[in-house]
Amino acid sequence: MSINVYMNFNGNTRDAVEFYSEIFNTEKPQIMTFGEAPQHPDYPLAEEAKNLVMHARLTISGSTVMFSDTMPGRPYVEGNNITLTYGSQNEEELKSVFNKLSDNGKVTMELQETFWSKLYGQLTDKFGIHWQINFDNGDTGM
């Protein structure tokens, strides 16, 4: 189980990841773009989104910090662009945590299977904290 930081940027994630990697002398960042991800035929990806960063991860002094660009047209507020991620390999625990955090909060993505995870969901709790809940399979960094 872990709680990690996830930061969103407005089209400049690659620069941010490379900057933090250099500052903290980390491993070379692995960066995946939205264009590299499997595409859903009913929801074509806009051309301007294909080179944006979908996911990148750095280990900084033992802590996992993850990064992504926001999609074009989605709201972005500098300073409010950080979420906490909770990962576990216990599906029942993930469901419980998700349900408890969503009580009097707002679910933005129901807990569901994705191409990178058996269970993944997003919500904002009653205190305004943004969360990502993810099945941690040990190889994606999520």
Side-chain angles (χ1 to χ4, degrees):
M1 293 179 284
S2 62
I3 294 180
N4 299 300
V5 176
Y6 206 111
M7 297 192 285
N8 293 108
F9 294 87
N10 199 22
N12 59 345
T13 296
R14 186 177 302 275
D15 293 337
V17 171
E18 290 171 355
F19 174 77
Y20 294 124
S21 177
E22 184 177 323
I23 295 297
F24 295 105
N25 195 31
T26 72
E27 73 283 357
K28 183 179 191 279
Q30 299 296 310
I31 297 173
M32 180 183 194
T33 65
F34 285 102
E36 294 171 320
Q39 302 302 303
H40 191 290
D42 294 336
Y43 303 101
L45 186 64
E47 193 62 39
E48 66 268 19
K50 289 183 178 178
N51 289 323
L52 294 175
V53 174
M54 183 180 140
H55 181 72
R57 179 184 61 86
L58 295 175
T59 302
I60 300 174
S61 298
S63 295
T64 299
V65 181
M66 294 171 282
F67 305 82
S68 181
D69 279 313
T70 56
M71 292 297 282
R74 300 253 346 237
Y76 173 84
V77 178
E78 193 170 296
N80 290 344
N81 54 326
I82 296 176
T83 62
L84 297 177
T85 65
Y86 179 75
S88 173
Q89 293 184 343
N90 182 323
E91 293 181 48
E92 292 307 312
E93 178 183 12
L94 290 174
K95 290 174 184 176
S96 175
V97 167
F98 187 88
N99 290 333
K100 290 175 183 176
L101 284 172
S102 64
D103 188 33
N104 293 316
K106 181 183 178 191
V107 173
T108 51
M109 182 178 176
E110 289 292 342
L111 206 54
Q112 60 191 273
E113 186 172 348
T114 64
F115 74 88
W116 70 86
S117 178
K118 290 170 77 172
L119 280 177
Y120 176 82
Q122 298 177 7
L123 62 95
T124 302
D125 71 20
K126 66 182 180 180
F127 298 105
I129 303 300
H130 303 287
W131 290 89
Q132 297 180 60
I133 307 300
N134 189 67
F135 183 86
D136 184 358
N137 63 12
D139 65 358
T140 63
M142 289 274 306

